[in-house]
Amino acid sequence: LVLYSSENALNGKKTRLLKPKTIGYGVILTAATTVLIWSVLTRAPYSGTVEQIRQPLYTELSDGSIRNSYEIKLNNKLTAPMTLGIRIEGLAGASLNMDGMERIALEPQERIKLLARVQIPPVAGSGSPGDQVTFIIEPLVGVKAAPIRRQVPFYTPEGGR
């Protein structure tokens, strides 16, 4: 059999268990375990992203109103169902149309893509190039967490309407 021992131990000399190398490995292992536990305990229970659909940038409707389209991706990271609500703010007179999906129930570990349309009426302002709309995705049932806020551009024709 092979004996795993140091040369000093085989010669009957004194050996040390706590060497700088052993202490260093212990510190690194403790730090890695702490970071892993912290990341698991503080992860967000859900995620959401909002991206503008670029083709076309905007649609001018027959009544003169302007509409932009967005893709919303939602991800329930929990092992329990949850219900999320989606709303907008930051653009005067704007309305959100998601074909009734403004409130959506997600099953455990479910991911979903949604189409959202934001429309402003013809009298809602000048439609400056720097217009922004903020999507707010908030949990309604199933978890207590801070809402996700995503600010995205709202495009209008050059020079207003």
Side-chain angles (χ1 to χ4, degrees), residues 131-160:
D131 282 344
Q132 299 279 317
V133 62
T134 302
F135 281 81
I136 301 168
I137 305 165
E138 55 193 347
L140 302 175
V141 177
V143 68
K144 298 240 186 265
I148 295 174
R149 302 174 70 85
R150 296 288 184 252
Q151 192 171 32
V152 290
F154 186 88
Y155 291 100
T156 58
E158 293 292 322

Side-chain angles (χ1 to χ4, degrees), residues 70-91:
Y70 302 90
E71 181 181 66
I72 300 175
K73 296 177 187 176
L74 302 173
N75 182 14
N76 179 3
K77 297 180 182 180
L78 299 176
T79 56
M82 69 184 303
T83 301
L84 296 174
I86 302 170
R87 60 187 173 89
I88 60 169
E89 67 179 28
L91 196 57

Side-chain angles (χ1 to χ4, degrees), residues 72-122:
I72 300 175
K73 296 177 187 176
L74 302 173
N75 182 14
N76 179 3
K77 297 180 182 180
L78 299 176
T79 56
M82 69 184 303
T83 301
L84 296 174
I86 302 170
R87 60 187 173 89
I88 60 169
E89 67 179 28
L91 196 57
S95 63
L96 175 65
N97 178 0
M98 294 183 60
D99 296 327
M101 301 293 282
E102 290 86 0
R103 180 182 171 111
I104 184 155
L106 293 176
E107 294 300 318
Q109 304 295 320
E110 182 180 5
R111 294 178 183 169
I112 191 168
K113 288 182 186 179
L114 303 169
L115 176 65
R117 294 180 191 95
V118 176
Q119 184 172 330
I120 57 172

